[in-house]
Amino acid sequence: MSSQSDPIESRADDDRDLYDIATWEERTSLDGLSVALHWFITRSAKAFVVLVALLGLLTVLGSIGLGLVFDPAVAMLVGLSAVPALGLAAYVYVSDVTSGEPLSLLVATFLLSILTATFAAILNSVAQPYFQRFGFLGMVAFFFVIVGPIEETVKLLAVRLYAYTDARFDAVIDGAVYGAIAGLGFAVIENLVYIAQSVDLGELTLGIAALGAGDGIAALRALAGPGHVIYSAFAGYYLGLAKFNPGNRGPIVVKGLILAAVIHALYNTLVGPVTTAISGITGIPSVGSLLVFVLAFQGAFGYVLLRKVWRYRDAYLDTRDSVDPEMEPELTEFES
């Protein structure tokens, strides 16, 4: 959709000055002041969101004990639990055939997702008791109404706060990349909270034996982590699509959030009953049954996500030859 113009602008000669009549650009001191104030207000709003998120993170970390947070063995468990999610996010990253995303934006998105995750942690904990009293159906509603929409929104917020507004976010596929990185950051802080709440500092040692701490919580979180990457990469892809289709920006973003939230909530709903059913039918231990379910569920939706990424890649490569080489970004290592 092309941007709409005033009737005067569309009919006037190019040499006619329409400043402050039908067009506008910065000319006067008042114009400059207005631009500066707009810049200050928008940056202040983002800074306020980050500050509130930081305070929330400190509150969450304080509630689980800073001793555990900074323990090397806990850090090792958190790192191990994030390996599958990191691998998936890395694959999405190298699948971006347009141009390599700058490290500064990737790191900023990762850190911002850790901060914004605290909004979800607080809102989930406040809302859960109201749904929990209605049993399983109440928890299903909790997953679809609260957990899915809120967690996917705060992950997308991490992308929107910084990377999205940067000029280097210059292709639709970039949204999937930064969405995946936001999912990785969310998985890391969520894993940290679960691990810190589940393990006893006295039973932790630096070594492979630590994997058994807290009933193998690191292994369990490693299975859940890739899901966060998949969900937010879906939402991020549509955020990228929205950036380059401003006429339909709102509906496109909402579509991406709906997809991510529904898949997320569906996983939360099915993981318990299906894992129990697999274990009961086959006799496979609960962890093995969980692995079967995760591979099937996240594998299916991960494949759908990757097909979307591959379709973008194929279209990009197919249309590349029709573009002026001087206008084309450098090939990434993936293309070489």
Side-chain angles (χ1 to χ4, degrees):
M1 179 184 294
S2 60
S3 58
Q4 187 177 6
S5 59
D6 181 84
I8 295 176
E9 182 184 4
S10 62
R11 295 194 300 259
D13 297 333
D14 292 338
D15 58 352
R16 182 162 186 167
D17 186 7
L18 298 177
Y19 167 75
D20 247 9
I21 299 173
T23 62
W24 191 89
E25 68 272 348
E26 183 181 348
R27 289 189 184 180
T28 68
S29 299
L30 179 57
D31 293 341
L33 176 62
S34 301
V35 170
L37 284 175
H38 177 266
W39 181 91
F40 176 76
I41 291 170
T42 54
R43 297 307 186 279
S44 297
K46 291 183 178 181
F48 178 75
V49 171
V50 172
L51 177 61
V52 172
L54 177 60
L55 293 175
L57 177 63
L58 293 176
T59 301
V60 171
L61 296 182
S63 69
I64 61 178
L66 292 179
L68 276 175
V69 172
F70 294 105
D71 186 88
V74 172
M76 181 192 71
L77 284 178
V78 172
L80 290 174
S81 71
V83 168
L86 174 61
L88 180 57
Y91 183 82
V92 175
Y93 170 77
V94 299
S95 297
D96 180 1
V97 294
T98 57
S99 59
E101 301 310 314
L103 182 61
S104 60
L105 293 187
L106 296 172
V107 172
T109 301
F110 177 81
L111 294 177
L112 284 170
S113 67
I114 290 177
L115 291 178
T116 58
T118 60
F119 293 134
I122 294 170
L123 292 172
N124 287 349
S125 63
V126 170
Q128 184 171 355
Y130 296 99
F131 292 85
Q132 208 163 25
R133 67 184 65 175
F134 297 105
F136 177 72
L137 291 180
M139 291 307 296
V140 171
F142 175 62
F143 295 144
F144 279 91
V145 176
I146 302 296
V147 175
I150 288 177
E151 292 192 3
E152 296 314 315
T153 297
V154 300
K155 285 188 282 183
L156 205 63
L157 175 62
V159 182
R160 186 65 180 83
L161 280 171
Y162 184 52
Y164 178 86
T165 59
D166 194 282
R168 292 168 291 181
F169 188 124
D170 55 4
V172 170
I173 195 66
D174 293 353
V177 173
Y178 292 111
I181 295 299
L184 175 62
F186 191 99
V188 167
I189 187 61
E190 186 177 71
N191 290 359
L192 171 61
V193 172
Y194 274 103
I195 290 171
Q197 289 176 336
S198 302
V199 301
D200 180 357
L201 191 59
E203 68 175 305
L204 285 178
T205 57
L206 282 174
I208 195 67
L211 290 173
D215 295 326
I217 185 65
L220 296 176
R221 295 311 308 166
L223 294 177
H228 282 300
V229 174
I230 293 170
Y231 315 145
S232 56
F234 265 111
Y237 183 91
Y238 282 96
L239 181 66
L241 190 63
K243 180 172 184 177
F244 298 97
N245 293 273
N248 293 296
R249 181 174 296 158
I252 294 173
V253 172
V254 170
K255 178 182 178 179
L257 283 173
I258 289 174
L259 285 172
V262 168
I263 299 170
H264 189 159
L266 191 61
Y267 173 86
N268 287 5
T269 299
L270 296 178
V271 61
V274 174
T275 298
T276 301
I278 293 174
S279 182
I281 294 171
T282 65
I284 299 174
S286 57
V287 174
S289 299
L290 176 61
L291 177 60
V292 171
F293 172 76
V294 167
L295 289 176
F297 185 93
Q298 295 183 357
F301 285 103
Y303 176 71
V304 174
L305 169 66
L306 293 179
R307 280 198 63 186
K308 186 175 291 294
V309 171
W310 296 333
R311 284 183 63 201
Y312 183 93
R313 177 196 63 194
D314 293 343
Y316 177 84
L317 295 176
D318 287 343
T319 58
R320 182 180 55 182
D321 295 337
S322 64
V323 178
D324 183 350
E326 295 182 359
M327 300 292 290
E328 183 71 0
E330 286 186 19
L331 298 180
T332 64
E333 184 177 349
F334 180 82
E335 288 182 79
S336 302

